[in-house]
Amino acid sequence: MKKTTYIFLAFLFLLTTFTSFSQEQRFPKPEFETGYVQPSPETPEPRTASMELVDVAILLLVISLASYFAIRRRSRTGILGLTLFTLLYFGFYRNGCICSIGAIQNITLAFTDPTYAISISALLFFLIPLIYTLLFGRTFCAGACPLGAIQDLVIIQPISIPRWLRKTLGIIPFIYLGLAVLYAATGTDFIICRYDPFIGIFRMDAEFHMVILGIAFLLMGMFVARPYCRFLCPYGVLLNWMSRFSKWHLSITPSKCIQCKLCTTSCPFDAIDFPIQEKPANSRSNVRKFILYALLIPVWMVAGSFVGMKLHKNLAKAHPDVYLAELLISQPELIHDEDNIDVQTFMASGKPLEALIEEAKAKREDFYMGSIILGAFIGLVIGSTIMNQVVFRRREIYQPNRADCFSCGRCMDYCPVEK
Amino acid sequence: MDIKQKLQIWLNTSIVSGIFCLVVAILLIFNFWQVSSHNPLESEALNVLVERLSQEPRNDELKQEIRNLDLLARKAYFNSQWQVKTGTYLLLFGAIIFAIALRFYTTLKSKIEQPGQQVENEQLARVLSQKWLIWFGAGVLVLAVTASFFTVDHLESYSATSAEQTEKPEGTPEENIQVVQVKKDVPEKQETVEEEPNTTENKENIEQEKVVQPSPELVKEEVVTTQPKVQQPSVNAPSDRDIKNNSNSFRGAFGNGVSTATNIPVSWDVANGQNVKWKTTLPKHGYNSPVIWGDKVFLTGADQQGQELYCLDKNSGKMLWVGQATNVPGAPEKPPKVTEDTGLAAPSVTTDGNYVVAIFGTGTIICFDMEGNKVWARNLGVPDNHYGHSSSLLTYANKIFVQYDTNRGSKVMALFISSGETIWETKRTSNISWASPVLAEVAGKKQLVLTADPNVAGYDIDTGKELWSVDCMMGEVGPSVAFGEGLVFASNEYARLVAIDPTTSEIKWEDDEYLPEVASPVVTNGLLFIATSYGVLVCYDALNGEKQWEEEYNAGFYGSPVIAENKLFALDMDGIMHILEVSRDAKVIGTPELGEEGFTTPAFANGIIIVRGNQNLFCFGN
């Protein structure tokens, strides 16, 4: 059977899975009085605290095992087994929630909203992977992240992405992280959760556009390995930073690299750094560029701040109060739209429109400073990423790029060197 | 087991699980198509039965049949849901097996890797990265800035509009009121007045004109008054008798629905021209009702292109002049969104014989003299009204009364009819409404009576002070009040019908059996008439609320019933004029038809009735 046939079948599977999701629809109440009493809607009970701690314990176990398999046992099979377990437990059983990626928002909101009490499990889900990454590299990505797991399993024919494209797309996670923090800090929304492309697949239920997005990511993931992890994941930004300083990190070879080059194509994520022994030919020019780019970083930040300031009204439109106020101003006839739950809830509250508008304006003020900071942050990221392109570090051997390596262990299998 | 056998097993597993997935997927697609194309509640058979049920509401057998069909549809629906869910899990299971088998197969087939070649020159790649990062970064920032310029800032626009609305009355009138010199040859007497004007009443009106400024002690916080800065042209206001002899506002004199006109025709035939004096088509559509003064008939029409006031000759139906509401300071460039059944020209005009004033759904209020010369125009701020503004204007004692209840706040205002300047403006605590003001004479003094959710209230016409208020209404109030027998009658669908004594603010009686949606009640000779939108005409004893009779028709009423010559004229939506005697028994006098739909209220003058149909304006006369 050719690989194209697999691809076709996989595509068909995804397509048909989507059709099943889109069949969820509401069904109106019966028209006649039959004596049947319509049950009142019930809010599902939250997961008990003890079960939340079980989740934390399982995360701890999985990430510990992943670190063990990656660094001590050097077992790709072990990591693969953990990937499958994570997909089933944190993905399909726990429906993708709680996850460390989304926990960023809980942490942010806990800092900005004194009335918000963060759960201990959310805090631990946020901290444990960061601590482990600081010690062992991104072993969380390797075996404990359900989003990474589902993408890892669909990698069929990965292609190498050129450096310029990787670096350029690599800016997006920073922008996403900044937006997620801004929206969480202003109490607007948890956009990471709302736009999680795989949550619909884990839950077997999602809005149409999210199903399409999930399918698109999986289809893309067959050729561009782990596209969400590499070019979107906001938690990956933090893990990337931590992993650079990791004390123990997975190595391709267990002993001395013999420069056999067998591993060079083993990484589907282009996360292997090749040896650089010679100095760049135009090193003086690079020094000048480095100074120039370093000096331009504040310029990028000021430009970003200005853009953030200009854009704060657009960004604020996502806040429910601002959205509702603008909706009622632009379409006042919606006051009588019984199907519009937002409007009807507001009307039922008895609050005058003026009060809502005042609240919306106050919320927009919050966005003013937040957007400026966001803009400056994005400017800083762009400026420093450009600057990093002229920094050369000498390397003797083939080694994983600590920032980008997911510690999946694929490369280890390719290394002929025995311990 | 050797590697070949293992390969064969995993290959076979892949094929079997792949085919399994394919079959389940096809079944799911079929199920999806079936569910999407057969909505059980939109079953044609069910709709037919439900339609039949509306005609035979007591047919129990039919009800049972619908129940059975409904149950069947629901069973089919939920069965299909079960199939979808089960199919999804089967597909997932098959896909997992497929993925595992495929992975093992490819692992077993893998060959020894060849050393890879470094195809990318790192230095060149870094240079390229720098370029792309610069372009990408700059692009993101430029795009973001560009996006910020395309933001529609509704919050700011709302603030601006609100400020405009609140500032206008307090601002310099010269800036926003277009004052046009009134023609000197404005007739001081009306051509068609049959009796000499009552000079005493005129004097009273002039006196009122002099004391339009409220005394400081009467001004409460919610009453905003403005000092007129433009010299008011000295024009006599018409007497009460002049007003009664004309039909100068929506629902006639004082907006109360009772006419003094005589010799009104009770039969006509549009097809053969019997009693049809004239029939004309107006350039633009509108749901406003005709207003008559002397030999002139006034109406308005509007569409997205413009708003117009029409003056027609009462005797021939010929258009005498058309007043355009153009170049009005503060008027929106684009009319606000309104529904088709309200439009931009729902409010009726008002006239005092010297001036005729119209208001439109854009918030533009415009005044012409009787010869069609524009006197003034201003915009009161675009009314935030999800159907469209429909409160008609009312004039008395050189004032124009404007009920301006919108989603952004409610107020009632009095403007000088000659200049448009605000005399007083009172903020109201009520919600949006579509009713029109009515003048009631309580304890010998005229007062303005308004109805809205939640209150019916009376206002001093000179100061705007709220004299009394009764919380008794709810919902979207469309019908105006009626005044008679010393009582104010207010009603609205889904609320109630109440009779209020304005001197004590006491509700004398109330009822909720028949309630109007749009048509206003009318009262005369101790009898109150209600016309509902579902076609029931009801007569109550005005003093005790006892129902006298009810008549049911095929079509409902949006046009308000009016009284002339002790006869009730009620135009239903099919265009049939139901003419009944004002009595405690339902005595039908005639049911002439327009031959087209009718949603407005007729106007009377001696010997004629003028009715606006949905397409044409008719004048019937003996």
Side-chain angles (χ1 to χ4, degrees):
Chain A
M1 193 182 284
K2 288 181 178 177
K3 277 189 175 173
T4 47
T5 316
Y6 307 149
I7 295 166
F8 169 73
L9 287 173
F11 174 76
L12 200 66
F13 153 65
L14 293 165
L15 188 74
T16 49
T17 312
F18 143 68
T19 60
S20 66
F21 294 143
S22 58
Q23 289 173 72
E24 291 290 333
Q25 52 184 267
R26 296 180 70 188
F27 202 81
K29 292 178 184 179
E31 289 180 17
F32 296 107
E33 291 176 8
T34 58
Y36 173 73
V37 181
Q38 197 75 24
S40 55
E42 288 178 10
T43 309
E45 287 293 320
R47 195 166 168 83
T48 58
S50 58
M51 286 308 289
E52 282 186 0
L53 289 177
V54 168
D55 290 340
V56 174
I58 291 174
L59 172 72
L60 210 52
L61 181 68
V62 171
I63 199 170
S64 300
L65 281 172
S67 304
Y68 173 73
F69 286 134
I71 293 163
R72 294 282 297 181
R73 282 293 298 273
R74 300 176 53 77
S75 166
R76 167 65 192 155
T77 313
I79 292 170
L80 187 62
L82 284 175
T83 303
L84 276 172
F85 172 79
T86 295
L87 179 65
L88 293 175
Y89 184 80
F90 289 114
F92 288 102
Y93 172 65
R94 292 292 294 117
N95 290 334
C97 188
I98 182 174
C99 80
S100 302
I101 305 170
I104 296 169
Q105 302 158 124
N106 301 77
I107 299 290
T108 309
L109 189 59
F111 273 111
T112 55
D113 183 356
T115 62
Y116 177 74
I118 187 170
S119 72
I120 188 73
S121 59
L123 184 65
L124 292 173
F125 261 78
F126 176 75
L127 288 177
I128 289 171
L130 291 179
I131 294 166
Y132 266 77
T133 306
L134 202 55
L135 295 172
F136 308 112
R138 298 173 68 169
T139 50
F140 167 77
C141 302
C145 175
L147 276 68
I150 195 167
Q151 294 173 88
D152 208 274
L153 292 175
V154 297
I155 299 171
I156 291 176
Q157 183 70 41
I159 55 167
S160 179
I161 308 287
R163 181 188 177 93
W164 65 267
L165 188 55
R166 271 186 283 137
K167 292 296 169 189
T168 307
L169 295 178
I171 301 289
I172 296 172
F174 290 90
I175 298 174
Y176 195 19
L177 173 69
L179 285 171
V181 169
L182 175 67
Y183 281 131
T186 50
T188 302
D189 201 356
F190 281 11
I191 58 168
I192 297 174
C193 302
R194 185 174 295 282
Y195 300 108
D196 181 339
F198 306 111
I199 208 85
I201 293 165
F202 292 149
R203 297 183 181 180
M204 298 284 178
D205 179 23
E207 289 175 20
F208 177 77
H209 64 279
M210 290 312 297
V211 173
I212 292 290
L213 194 65
I215 291 171
F217 267 105
L218 290 183
L219 283 174
M220 196 196 300
M222 294 176 179
F223 311 103
V224 180
R226 290 199 179 202
Y228 182 85
C229 301
R230 292 161 78 191
F231 306 123
L232 212 61
C233 180
Y235 194 59
V237 171
L238 306 182
L239 295 174
N240 179 306
W241 288 339
M242 294 290 154
S243 188
R244 286 167 197 262
F245 307 104
S246 54
K247 189 167 174 56
W248 300 280
H249 193 280
L250 170 146
S251 62
I252 300 171
T253 176
S255 184
K256 194 180 175 191
C257 175
I258 58 169
Q259 308 271 344
C260 68
K261 298 181 183 176
L262 283 172
C263 63
T264 50
T265 54
S266 64
C267 183
F269 316 114
D270 301 305
I272 293 177
D273 285 337
F274 294 177
I276 303 177
Q277 289 167 349
E278 293 172 5
K279 274 189 173 181
N282 48 354
S283 59
R284 190 168 286 179
S285 161
N286 275 346
V287 172
R288 279 202 299 271
K289 272 188 180 176
F290 178 82
I291 295 168
L292 173 68
Y293 290 152
L295 291 173
L296 280 176
I297 289 177
V299 178
W300 279 107
M301 290 176 70
V302 170
S305 305
F306 173 74
V307 171
M309 183 190 71
K310 294 293 290 178
L311 205 64
H312 81 280
K313 288 180 181 173
N314 300 54
L315 294 172
K317 283 174 185 285
H319 192 278
D321 287 351
V322 181
Y323 165 76
L324 189 61
E326 296 209 322
L327 185 72
L328 289 174
I329 291 169
S330 59
Q331 298 178 57
E333 68 276 9
L334 287 180
I335 287 174
H336 301 274
D337 183 358
E338 290 181 359
D339 294 332
N340 192 321
I341 295 171
D342 293 337
V343 172
Q344 288 309 314
T345 307
F346 167 70
M347 297 304 291
S349 71
K351 191 192 285 184
L353 180 62
E354 281 70 19
L356 175 71
I357 288 166
E358 285 309 310
E359 285 174 10
K361 283 181 179 172
K363 191 47 74 179
R364 209 158 71 174
E365 285 302 307
D366 294 345
F367 269 89
Y368 183 76
M369 188 46 72
S371 304
I372 289 175
I373 296 169
L374 170 67
F377 171 70
I378 293 170
L380 174 67
V381 169
I382 294 170
S384 53
T385 311
I386 295 169
M387 189 183 74
N388 276 337
Q389 300 313 303
V390 291
V391 177
F392 282 83
R393 290 186 185 88
R394 183 172 291 184
R395 283 188 298 270
E396 301 285 340
I397 57 168
Y398 290 88
Q399 61 187 44
N401 182 303
R402 290 197 167 203
D404 296 336
C405 172
F406 295 131
S407 298
C408 69
R410 282 183 174 85
C411 55
M412 298 185 303
D413 276 357
Y414 286 74
C415 185
V417 179
E418 296 290 334
K419 213 170 188 178
Chain B
M1 194 183 289
D2 63 12
I3 194 160
K4 279 189 177 175
Q5 286 172 315
K6 282 181 184 173
L7 270 172
Q8 194 60 45
I9 287 171
W10 287 119
L11 180 63
N12 290 343
T13 312
S14 302
I15 292 170
V16 171
S17 56
I19 291 170
F20 175 77
C21 287
L22 197 64
V23 171
V24 176
I26 290 169
L27 288 174
L28 275 173
I29 290 171
F30 179 72
N31 193 299
F32 174 67
W33 169 78
Q34 204 174 22
V35 170
S36 341
S37 58
H38 295 93
N39 186 342
L41 280 193
E42 285 175 7
S43 149
E44 203 171 314
L46 197 64
N47 287 341
V48 169
L49 292 179
V50 171
E51 184 69 26
R52 263 184 63 199
L53 187 69
S54 63
Q55 291 158 6
E56 306 168 43
R58 289 174 189 163
N59 187 338
D60 289 335
E61 200 178 323
L62 189 58
K63 279 183 185 174
Q64 191 57 44
E65 204 177 332
I66 292 174
R67 282 195 187 103
N68 292 341
L69 197 59
D70 190 70
L71 184 65
L72 200 65
R74 281 166 201 281
K75 272 185 180 171
Y77 176 83
F78 287 109
N79 192 35
S80 156
Q81 289 289 309
W82 176 85
Q83 286 171 359
V84 166
K85 198 155 195 171
T86 312
T88 307
Y89 281 113
L90 282 175
L91 187 61
L92 183 65
F93 172 74
I96 290 169
I97 301 292
F98 177 71
I100 291 170
L102 212 55
R103 183 161 281 278
F104 275 102
Y105 178 76
T106 47
T107 308
L108 285 171
K109 275 198 81 175
S110 61
K111 296 169 188 168
I112 294 172
E113 291 289 335
Q114 297 295 317
Q117 295 297 315
Q118 188 175 344
V119 291
E120 197 174 33
N121 180 311
E122 180 151 348
Q123 288 201 35
L124 285 177
R126 281 172 180 259
V127 172
L128 202 57
S129 301
Q130 290 163 39
K131 284 182 184 170
W132 272 97
L133 280 165
I134 291 168
W135 279 112
F136 178 75
V140 166
L141 298 185
V142 169
L143 269 177
V145 170
T146 311
S148 72
F149 286 109
F150 288 98
T151 308
V152 181
D153 191 348
H154 293 295
L155 290 183
E156 287 302 321
S157 64
Y158 179 83
S159 306
T161 314
S162 303
E164 193 182 310
Q165 282 186 344
T166 50
E167 282 168 15
K168 263 185 180 169
E170 294 167 2
T172 51
E174 291 85 347
E175 286 174 1
N176 49 20
I177 298 173
Q178 192 177 12
V179 181
V180 178
Q181 187 64 44
V182 182
K183 283 180 74 174
K184 286 179 181 175
D185 58 352
V186 170
E188 288 188 14
K189 287 184 181 179
Q190 299 310 306
E191 294 167 8
T192 56
V193 173
E194 291 175 3
E195 296 175 33
E196 283 295 309
N198 184 325
T199 50
T200 315
E201 284 178 352
N202 265 353
K203 273 185 182 176
E204 282 172 6
N205 289 331
I206 293 163
E207 286 298 310
Q208 284 179 344
E209 177 67 28
K210 284 178 182 170
V211 295
V212 288
Q213 295 311 308
S215 56
E217 62 270 19
L218 290 176
V219 181
K220 280 188 177 179
E221 273 186 9
E222 74 269 21
V223 181
V224 182
T225 58
T226 48
Q227 179 77 34
K229 291 179 182 171
V230 180
Q231 183 87 31
Q232 299 306 308
S234 168
V235 178
N236 288 343
S239 67
D240 283 11
R241 186 170 297 174
D242 288 340
I243 292 170
K244 282 178 183 171
N245 285 337
N246 287 280
S247 182
N248 76 324
S249 298
F250 172 59
R251 298 170 66 222
F254 311 123
N256 209 17
V258 182
S259 171
T260 57
T262 55
N263 195 24
I264 308 297
V266 293
S267 67
W268 57 77
D269 190 328
V270 175
N272 64 23
Q274 183 212 335
N275 281 345
V276 180
K277 286 193 79 173
W278 50 263
K279 170 185 164 185
T280 187
T281 307
L282 296 172
K284 289 185 192 293
H285 189 265
Y287 286 106
N288 61 90
S289 302
V291 155
I292 307 170
W293 191 281
D295 282 339
K296 288 174 176 148
V297 181
F298 301 98
L299 305 100
T300 64
D303 55 22
Q304 292 294 309
Q305 280 69 49
Q307 303 108 45
E308 294 173 344
L309 191 154
Y310 307 117
C311 175
L312 294 92
D313 183 83
K314 186 182 79 176
N315 300 313
S316 65
K318 283 184 182 166
M319 187 73 77
L320 296 176
W321 51 265
V322 176
Q324 306 271 357
T326 50
N327 301 322
V328 179
E333 283 180 19
K334 197 178 156 195
K337 284 182 197 168
V338 292
T339 55
E340 271 188 28
D341 58 3
T342 304
L344 291 162
S348 301
V349 305
T350 189
T351 175
D352 67 352
N354 299 319
Y355 306 99
V356 55
V357 189
I359 189 168
F360 297 94
T362 54
T364 290
I365 181 166
I366 189 161
C367 175
F368 293 87
D369 67 17
M370 301 301 272
E371 308 308 315
N373 301 300
K374 188 160 90 173
V375 182
W376 56 264
R378 60 185 281 199
N379 189 280
L380 302 176
V382 179
D384 185 352
N385 190 315
H386 46 276
Y387 298 138
H389 183 71
S390 75
S391 293
S392 297
L393 299 172
L394 187 63
T395 179
Y396 187 71
N398 285 336
K399 298 181 189 74
I400 295 289
F401 301 107
V402 188
Q403 183 175 359
Y404 219 58
D405 296 341
T406 72
N407 280 320
R408 292 190 193 174
S410 301
K411 61 185 176 183
V412 55
M413 326 163 61
L415 316 178
F416 276 123
I417 193 168
S418 53
S419 69
E421 279 187 276
T422 303
I423 303 169
W424 53 257
E425 177 182 314
T426 302
K427 284 186 180 170
R428 284 159 48 74
T429 53
S430 54
N431 294 318
I432 184 171
S433 81
W434 291 262
S436 303
V438 168
L439 273 173
E441 189 162 322
V442 179
K445 193 171 187 311
K446 288 272 190 311
Q447 60 175 248
L448 200 64
V449 184
L450 311 184
T451 176
D453 171 20
N455 49 8
V456 179
Y459 295 87
D460 188 305
I461 59 169
D462 294 329
T463 65
K465 183 190 171 193
E466 187 181 279
L467 301 171
W468 57 271
S469 175
V470 179
D471 280 10
C472 56
M473 277 299 114
M474 61 179 283
E476 298 181 333
V477 180
S480 312
V481 302
F483 178 75
E485 310 300 332
L487 298 172
V488 171
F489 299 92
S491 59
N492 188 41
E493 199 165 50
Y494 306 120
R496 51 186 173 159
L497 164 64
V498 290
I500 303 166
D501 183 344
T503 57
T504 61
S505 300
E506 183 192 350
I507 295 179
K508 286 287 182 190
W509 60 264
E510 63 177 89
D511 192 70
D512 59 5
E513 189 178 0
Y514 293 106
L515 300 168
E517 183 191 352
V518 177
S520 307
V522 65
V523 61
T524 190
N525 294 344
L527 295 174
L528 173 74
F529 298 93
I530 298 285
T532 71
S533 59
Y534 44 91
V536 179
L537 199 58
V538 198
C539 173
Y540 291 93
D541 185 308
L543 294 175
N544 58 25
E546 199 175 303
K547 192 170 76 185
Q548 303 300 304
W549 52 261
E550 65 181 71
E551 289 282 296
E552 188 168 353
Y553 306 110
N554 288 334
F557 296 91
Y558 271 9
S560 299
V562 280
I563 308 281
E565 280 191 309
N566 212 37
K567 297 182 190 87
L568 180 77
F569 291 76
L571 179 69
D572 74 17
M573 285 190 258
D574 281 351
I576 301 171
M577 183 71 80
H578 300 276
I579 307 171
L580 293 96
E581 196 175 293
V582 173
S583 75
R584 292 181 186 273
D585 300 311
K587 293 178 186 168
V588 179
I589 296 170
T591 52
E593 298 182 21
L594 295 183
E596 60 187 69
E597 289 179 316
F599 303 103
T600 62
T601 302
F604 303 99
N606 284 336
I608 62 162
I609 175 172
I610 296 181
V611 189
R612 185 177 197 164
N614 208 27
Q615 281 95 40
N616 299 295
L617 182 68
F618 299 88
C619 177
F620 303 111
N622 290 321

Coordinates of all heavy atoms in Angstrom, one line a residue, chain B residues 477-503:
Chain B
V477 N -45.7 50.1 23.9 CA -47.0 50.8 23.8 C -47.1 51.6 22.5 O -46.3 52.5 22.2 CB -47.1 51.8 25.0 CG1 -48.4 52.5 25.0 CG2 -47.0 51.0 26.3
G478 N -48.2 51.2 21.7 CA -48.4 51.9 20.5 C -49.7 52.7 20.5 O -49.7 53.8 20.0
P479 N -50.8 52.2 21.2 CA -52.0 53.0 21.2 C -51.9 54.3 22.1 O -51.3 54.2 23.1 CB -53.0 52.1 21.8 CG -52.4 50.7 21.7 CD -51.0 50.9 21.8
S480 N -52.4 55.4 21.6 CA -52.4 56.6 22.4 C -53.6 56.5 23.3 O -54.4 55.6 23.2 CB -52.6 57.8 21.5 OG -51.6 57.7 20.4
V481 N -53.7 57.5 24.2 CA -54.8 57.5 25.1 C -56.1 58.1 24.5 O -56.0 58.7 23.4 CB -54.5 58.2 26.4 CG1 -53.3 57.7 27.1 CG2 -54.3 59.7 26.1
A482 N -57.2 57.9 25.1 CA -58.4 58.6 24.8 C -58.9 59.3 26.0 O -58.7 58.9 27.1 CB -59.5 57.6 24.3
F483 N -59.5 60.5 25.8 CA -60.0 61.3 26.9 C -61.5 61.6 26.7 O -61.9 62.1 25.7 CB -59.2 62.6 27.1 CG -59.7 63.4 28.2 CD1 -59.4 63.1 29.5 CD2 -60.4 64.6 28.0 CE1 -59.8 63.9 30.6 CE2 -60.9 65.3 29.0 CZ -60.6 65.0 30.3
G484 N -62.2 61.3 27.8 CA -63.7 61.6 27.7 C -64.3 61.2 29.0 O -63.7 60.4 29.8
E485 N -65.4 61.8 29.3 CA -66.1 61.5 30.6 C -65.2 61.8 31.8 O -65.3 61.2 32.9 CB -66.6 60.1 30.7 CG -67.3 59.6 29.4 CD -68.6 60.4 29.1 OE1 -69.2 61.0 30.1 OE2 -69.0 60.5 27.9
G486 N -64.3 62.7 31.6 CA -63.4 63.1 32.7 C -62.3 62.1 33.0 O -61.6 62.2 34.0
L487 N -62.3 61.0 32.1 CA -61.3 59.9 32.4 C -60.3 59.8 31.2 O -60.7 60.1 30.1 CB -62.1 58.6 32.6 CG -63.0 58.5 33.7 CD1 -63.8 57.2 33.7 CD2 -62.3 58.6 35.1
V488 N -59.1 59.3 31.6 CA -58.1 59.0 30.6 C -58.1 57.5 30.4 O -58.0 56.8 31.4 CB -56.7 59.5 31.0 CG1 -55.7 58.9 30.1 CG2 -56.7 61.0 31.1
F489 N -58.3 57.0 29.1 CA -58.3 55.6 28.9 C -57.0 55.2 28.2 O -56.7 55.8 27.1 CB -59.5 55.3 28.0 CG -60.8 55.6 28.7 CD1 -61.4 56.8 28.4 CD2 -61.5 54.7 29.5 CE1 -62.6 57.2 29.1 CE2 -62.7 55.0 30.1 CZ -63.2 56.3 29.9
A490 N -56.3 54.3 28.8 CA -55.1 53.8 28.2 C -55.1 52.3 28.1 O -55.6 51.7 29.0 CB -53.9 54.3 29.0
S491 N -54.5 51.8 27.1 CA -54.4 50.3 26.9 C -53.3 49.9 26.0 O -52.8 50.7 25.2 CB -55.8 49.8 26.3 OG -56.0 50.4 25.1
N492 N -52.9 48.7 26.1 CA -51.9 48.2 25.2 C -52.0 46.6 25.3 O -52.3 46.1 26.3 CB -50.5 48.6 25.7 CG -49.5 48.2 24.6 OD1 -49.7 48.3 23.4 ND2 -48.3 47.7 25.1
E493 N -51.6 46.0 24.2 CA -51.7 44.6 24.1 C -50.7 44.0 25.2 O -49.6 44.5 25.4 CB -51.3 44.1 22.7 CG -51.7 42.7 22.5 CD -51.7 42.3 21.0 OE1 -50.6 42.5 20.4 OE2 -52.7 41.8 20.5
Y494 N -51.0 42.9 25.7 CA -50.3 42.2 26.8 C -50.2 43.1 28.1 O -49.4 42.7 29.0 CB -48.9 41.8 26.3 CG -48.9 41.0 25.1 CD1 -48.3 41.5 23.9 CD2 -49.6 39.8 25.0 CE1 -48.3 40.7 22.7 CE2 -49.6 39.1 23.8 CZ -49.0 39.5 22.7 OH -49.0 38.8 21.6
A495 N -50.9 44.2 28.1 CA -50.9 45.0 29.4 C -52.3 45.0 29.9 O -52.8 43.9 30.3 CB -50.4 46.4 29.1
R496 N -53.0 46.1 29.9 CA -54.4 46.1 30.3 C -55.0 47.4 29.8 O -54.4 48.3 29.3 CB -54.5 46.0 31.8 CG -53.6 47.0 32.6 CD -53.6 46.7 34.0 NE -52.7 47.6 34.8 CZ -52.8 47.8 36.0 NH1 -53.8 47.4 36.8 NH2 -51.9 48.6 36.6
L497 N -56.3 47.4 30.0 CA -57.1 48.6 29.6 C -57.4 49.3 31.0 O -58.0 48.7 31.9 CB -58.4 48.2 28.9 CG -59.5 49.2 28.8 CD1 -59.0 50.5 28.0 CD2 -60.7 48.6 28.1
V498 N -57.1 50.6 31.1 CA -57.4 51.2 32.4 C -58.1 52.5 32.1 O -57.9 53.2 31.1 CB -56.1 51.6 33.2 CG1 -55.4 50.3 33.7 CG2 -55.1 52.3 32.3
A499 N -59.0 52.9 33.1 CA -59.6 54.2 33.1 C -59.1 55.0 34.3 O -59.3 54.5 35.4 CB -61.1 54.0 33.2
I500 N -58.4 56.1 34.0 CA -57.7 56.8 35.1 C -58.4 58.1 35.3 O -58.7 58.9 34.3 CB -56.3 57.1 34.7 CG1 -55.5 55.7 34.4 CG2 -55.5 57.9 35.8 CD1 -54.2 55.9 33.7
D501 N -58.6 58.5 36.5 CA -59.1 59.8 36.8 C -57.9 60.7 37.0 O -57.1 60.6 37.9 CB -59.9 59.8 38.2 CG -60.5 61.1 38.5 OD1 -60.1 62.1 37.9 OD2 -61.4 61.2 39.3
P502 N -57.7 61.6 36.0 CA -56.4 62.4 36.1 C -56.4 63.4 37.3 O -55.3 63.9 37.6 CB -56.5 63.2 34.7 CG -57.9 63.2 34.3 CD -58.5 62.0 34.9
T503 N -57.6 63.7 37.9 CA -57.5 64.6 39.0 C -57.0 63.9 40.3 O -56.5 64.6 41.1 CB -58.9 65.2 39.2 OG1 -59.8 64.1 39.5 CG2 -59.4 66.0 38.0

